[in-house]
């Protein structure tokens, strides 16, 4: 599913424009998908705040820099939009052919989308195409057109164009599905803990049914450490990106893990109220820079009382030799789930 797409075969460049870091993943689709190159580069603090690009020039330069550093000449990239201006919802409509469904889904969408349908990019996927009931289940996705337009304008400023504009939750799911096929049964949570935002995604039997964002990420923990312990930004970052738990860090990890746990529990309760078949969350997977904070996954596991695992976008994906040149796989790997999901898209 994509909000917007055109393109050609070959290599796909997935670009995840985060508020803290740009992450780039290139997948070669010539045979079985293979990760051929990754690159990561920082974005200046406050150039992107709460999903809004405050300084497009600065971000565009950083994007050019990361592509150059990876030696990528290709101008077409896959990007994603997310946040509260993107709605993902399961709806029911009368069964019909996919080719006939667009108008019907668009009409139905007006009742489910809290913004003016004229200003919205829509897409949908029939979840039970082979079902026989009079109604069919459709996963509806709607994004404010402005959000998509801003992303395209940013790429243009960086001399690029979008072959696909995807949705964060679907791209994460895409990478996750390839790497964790066993998680496609029952209810699983995939949590992407970033710099500013934590995305909570619930999957039921492999379908990404619910996506929620929490305003929380590594930045808050860095600020906690700076404010309460007088650490410099670099010192705080070292603890956050470290490999050891420390007493200083543990106190904040505890508080922030609690907030994430509440977010997961609320999302799960919502899913259960909307769908009778939905059971409780059986397993939680974490990715993003925040998943690397020492002690975080363990604290979440103790609190949620379900198994919590750090998810790796290369768990099953083939990786070409030299793809990680200049980067430490263990350090940047967990941050690449979204960019890998984008690069897994095969423009057609
Ligand atoms: N190897 C690493 N290199 C850089 N930062 C790292 C690394 N490992 C963990 N981090 C931490 O993770 C954060 C970035 O995580 P991530 O890339 O998932 O966030 P983001 O996508 O930029 O943010 P958001 O999604 O909230 O906009 C950094 O701010 C840093 O604190
Ligand atoms: Mg992110």
């Amino acid at each position: 599913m994509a909000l917007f797409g055109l393109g050609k075969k070959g290599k796909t460049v997935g670009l995840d424009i985060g508020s803290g870091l740009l992450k780039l993943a290139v997948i070669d689709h010539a045979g079985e998908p293979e990760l051929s190159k990754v690159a990561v580069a920082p974005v200046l603090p406050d150039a992107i705040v709460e999903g809004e690009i405050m300084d497009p020039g600065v971000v565009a330069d950083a994007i050019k820099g990361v592509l150059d550093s990876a030696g990528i000449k290709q101008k077409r990239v896959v990007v994603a939009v997310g946040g509260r201006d993107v709605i993902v919802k399961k709806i029911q409509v009368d069964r019909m052919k996919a080719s006939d469904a667009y108008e019907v889904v668009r009409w139905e969408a007006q009742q489910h989308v809290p913004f003016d349908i004229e200003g919205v990019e829509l897409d949908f996927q029939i979840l039970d195409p082979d079902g026989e009931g009079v109604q069919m289940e459709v996963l509806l996705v709607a994004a404010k057109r402005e959000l998509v337009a801003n992303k395209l304008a940013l790429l243009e400023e960086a001399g690029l164009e979008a072959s696909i504009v995807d949705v964060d939750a679907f791209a994460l799911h895409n990478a996750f599905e390839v790497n964790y096929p066993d998680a496609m049964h029952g209810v699983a949570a995939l949590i992407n803990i970033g710099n500013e935002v934590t995305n909570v995604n619930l999957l039921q039997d492999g379908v990404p049914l619910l996506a929620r964002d929490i305003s929380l990420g590594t930045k808050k923990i860095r600020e906690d450490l700076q404010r309460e312990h007088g650490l410099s930004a670099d010192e705080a970052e070292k603890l956050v990106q470290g490999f050891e738990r420390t007493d200083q860090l543990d106190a904040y990890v505890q508080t922030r893990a609690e907030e994430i746990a509440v977010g997961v529990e609320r999302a799960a309760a919502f899913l259960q109220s909307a769908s009778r078949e939905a059971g409780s969350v059986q397993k939680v997977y974490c990715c993003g820079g925040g998943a690397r904070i020492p002690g975080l996954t363990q604290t979440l596991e103790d609190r949620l009382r379900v198994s919590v695992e750090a998810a790796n976008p290369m768990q099953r994906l083939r990786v070409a030799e030299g793809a990680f040149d200049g980067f430490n796989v263990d350090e940047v790997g967990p941050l690449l789930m979204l960019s890998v999901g984008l690069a897994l898209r095969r423009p057609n």
Side-chain angles (χ1 to χ4, degrees):
M1 178 158 359
L3 286 165
F4 174 95
L6 44 112
K8 60 173 193 264
K9 294 194 183 100
K11 286 191 176 181
T12 306
V13 180
L15 178 64
D16 170 7
I17 305 168
S19 62
L21 291 175
L22 298 175
K23 278 87 60 190
L24 179 115
V26 184
I27 289 187
D28 189 341
H29 290 276
E32 190 188 327
E34 183 181 67
L35 185 64
S36 60
K37 187 80 199 144
V38 309
V40 172
V43 179
L44 280 182
D46 300 327
I48 302 177
V49 178
E50 287 169 17
E52 200 176 327
I53 300 158
M54 310 307 263
D55 195 336
V58 165
V59 181
D61 283 345
I63 293 175
K64 282 190 213 157
V66 75
L67 268 97
D68 281 350
S69 75
I72 292 164
K73 303 271 185 301
Q74 189 169 323
K75 297 293 175 210
R76 301 166 71 78
V77 299
V78 181
V79 291
V81 291
R84 59 179 171 271
D85 291 337
V86 178
I87 305 282
V88 175
K89 199 159 185 178
K90 189 166 80 167
I91 62 170
Q92 308 244 338
V93 300
D94 289 343
R95 186 167 294 283
M96 67 188 74
K97 281 190 286 183
S99 51
D100 296 334
Y102 185 82
E103 281 309 316
V104 175
V105 170
R106 187 174 174 83
W107 192 83
E108 283 287 327
Q110 300 187 21
Q111 295 159 48
H112 297 280
V113 175
F115 8 90
D116 177 15
I117 203 78
E118 292 307 319
V120 155
E121 300 279 0
L122 266 188
D123 198 2
F124 67 94
Q125 186 180 333
I126 299 170
L127 294 174
D128 56 345
D130 304 321
E132 284 170 358
V134 282
Q135 295 221 300
M136 58 185 189
E137 293 196 319
V138 171
L139 193 62
L140 172 75
V141 46
K144 269 196 189 167
R145 188 163 291 145
E146 190 190 318
L147 202 61
V148 177
N150 289 347
K151 207 44 79 102
L152 295 178
L154 174 65
L155 290 182
E156 196 181 333
E157 191 156 349
L160 302 171
E161 53 181 307
S163 56
I164 294 176
V165 178
D166 205 335
V167 171
D168 280 353
F170 294 147
L172 282 170
H173 172 260
N174 212 14
F176 185 57
E177 188 175 32
V178 165
N179 286 289
Y180 292 87
D182 295 346
M184 299 298 129
H185 309 285
V187 179
L190 173 60
I191 308 177
N192 177 28
I193 309 166
N195 176 54
E196 278 198 324
V197 179
T198 293
N199 320 111
V200 176
N201 299 287
L202 294 187
L203 281 61
Q204 189 184 343
D205 293 329
V207 180
L209 282 188
L210 196 120
R212 286 269 187 289
D213 285 352
I214 310 171
S215 303
L216 172 64
T218 55
K219 185 173 166 185
K220 281 230 169 101
I221 296 191
R222 271 195 313 271
E223 287 169 356
D224 289 339
L225 287 163
Q226 287 180 253
R227 191 182 53 245
E228 308 283 330
H229 291 285
L231 299 190
S232 71
D234 283 350
E235 287 166 335
E237 186 66 71
K238 269 209 186 96
L239 291 184
V240 165
Q241 287 190 37
F243 288 91
E244 307 287 337
R245 291 177 75 152
T246 66
D247 291 343
Q248 274 181 336
L249 192 56
D250 265 358
Y252 305 110
V253 166
Q254 195 79 38
T255 324
R256 301 308 182 182
E258 174 68 27
E259 288 174 50
I260 296 174
V262 168
V264 174
E265 284 167 348
R266 283 201 186 132
F270 184 83
L271 186 68
Q272 282 174 334
S273 69
S275 155
R276 252 172 283 137
E277 316 97 79
S280 51
V281 175
Q282 286 147 358
K283 178 135 190 191
V284 176
Y285 297 83
C286 292
C287 62
R292 292 198 53 233
I293 300 173
L296 186 77
T297 49
Q298 186 59 53
T299 309
L300 264 180
E301 179 164 297
D302 296 345
R303 166 65 178 70
L304 285 169
R305 294 170 188 271
V306 292
S307 156
V308 179
E309 182 181 327
N312 172 4
M314 285 83 60
Q315 183 76 5
R316 284 183 171 232
L317 186 66
R318 281 172 50 160
V319 180
E321 217 184 300
F324 276 85
D325 275 0
F327 296 98
N328 179 322
V329 186
D330 296 332
E331 290 179 7
V332 304
L335 285 63
L336 298 173
M337 189 69 85
L338 179 55
S339 54
V340 164
L342 295 170
L344 278 167
R345 296 283 182 208
R346 191 200 293 258
N348 47 38

